């Protein structure tokens, strides 16, 4: 398929495009906050601030992913169906949605298990579970494992977009860019 034939594929909705890039920005910020905290000493204001932003932005992802899922239900995706490429794309997208739902819940549970406040832009959310430091360690391990898998999933998603753009030349990436669809 060539770039000129991408017009045969319907453009993504403005809502889908905005939500895609908003979620990417939020996920990048969530990951950046937790990685950058390592450059600061334990207990420092900057380190604690980065952790707080990590929590709040992660919970923002959790809230917005439901809005995005409702949008996908109202306006289903149009993609390659019934092929190995379609199955692979669907599997990757399911993985990304699982990531955007599971990680914030696990983070909230982790803070609850550690008997720590769950901050959300001036509010403190109620704990999801009773304090249990031993269970908290298991949650932390699972949260970290899924987060690492997230790096891979996000990277594969970006690689697939570049593959569509430079190898298949099917216009998929262009249709997802703001103002170019």
């Amino acid at each position: 398929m060539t770039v000129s034939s991408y017009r045969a594929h319907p453009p993504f909705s403005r809502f889908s495009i905005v939500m895609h890039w908003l979620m990417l920005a939020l996920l990048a910020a969530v990951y950046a906050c937790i990685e950058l905290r390592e450059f600061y000493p334990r207990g420092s204001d900057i380190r604690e601030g980065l952790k707080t932003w990590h929590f709040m932005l992660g919970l923002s992802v959790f809230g917005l992913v439901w809005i995005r899922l409702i949008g996908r239900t109202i306006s289903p995706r149009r993609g390659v169906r019934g092929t190995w490429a379609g199955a692979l794309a669907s599997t990757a997208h399911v993985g990304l949605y699982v990531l955007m739902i599971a990680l914030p819940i696990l983070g909230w549970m982790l803070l609850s298990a550690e008997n720590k406040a769950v901050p959300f832009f001036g509010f403190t959310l109620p704990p999801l579970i009773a304090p249990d430091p031993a269970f908290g360690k298991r949650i932390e391990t699972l949260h970290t494992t899924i987060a690492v898998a997230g790096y891979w999933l996000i990277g594969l998603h970006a690689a697939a977009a570049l593959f569509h753009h430079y190898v298949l030349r099917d216009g998929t990436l262009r249709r997802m860019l703001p103002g170019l669809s």
Side-chain angles (χ1 to χ4, degrees), residues 4-181:
S4 61
S5 65
Y6 94 92
R7 289 184 194 95
H9 295 281
F12 290 101
S13 71
R14 190 173 305 233
F15 174 81
S16 293
I17 293 169
V18 167
M19 290 302 288
H20 177 272
W21 295 106
L22 176 60
M23 297 301 276
L24 173 62
L26 282 172
L27 286 170
V30 167
Y31 275 101
C33 285
I34 208 62
E35 295 295 338
L36 290 172
R37 85 184 192 293
E38 293 297 324
F39 291 106
Y40 299 96
R42 290 185 187 272
S44 68
D45 288 344
I46 292 177
R47 184 181 177 109
E48 293 306 310
L50 287 167
K51 286 171 34 180
T52 298
W53 276 102
H54 173 77
F55 306 146
M56 293 188 306
L57 294 172
L59 289 167
S60 297
V61 166
F62 180 71
L64 288 174
V65 73
W66 296 105
I67 295 169
R68 191 164 184 200
L69 284 168
I70 290 168
R72 283 186 70 142
T73 302
I74 292 168
S75 177
R77 284 185 65 241
R78 298 169 291 278
V80 181
R81 301 283 185 235
T83 66
W84 66 269
L88 190 59
S90 292
T91 301
H93 282 105
V94 167
L96 288 167
Y97 280 100
V98 167
L99 173 99
M100 292 184 283
I101 293 169
L103 283 176
I105 290 173
L106 288 169
W108 191 346
M109 289 175 65
L110 175 58
L111 289 174
S112 300
E114 293 176 342
N115 201 26
K116 293 182 179 172
V118 182
F120 190 69
F121 298 103
F123 296 97
T124 300
L125 301 179
L128 289 181
I129 60 174
D132 184 342
F135 187 53
K137 289 290 183 194
R138 291 195 304 237
I139 295 169
E140 183 177 20
T141 299
L142 183 57
H143 182 77
T144 301
T145 301
I146 294 172
V148 170
Y151 280 119
W152 287 97
L153 270 172
I154 293 165
L156 287 171
H157 182 71
L162 294 173
F163 179 78
H164 275 275
H165 188 72
Y166 291 108
V167 176
L168 298 179
R169 299 180 185 269
D170 64 3
T172 299
L173 178 61
R174 289 178 52 104
R175 291 184 307 124
M176 186 49 79
L177 292 174
L180 295 179
S181 60

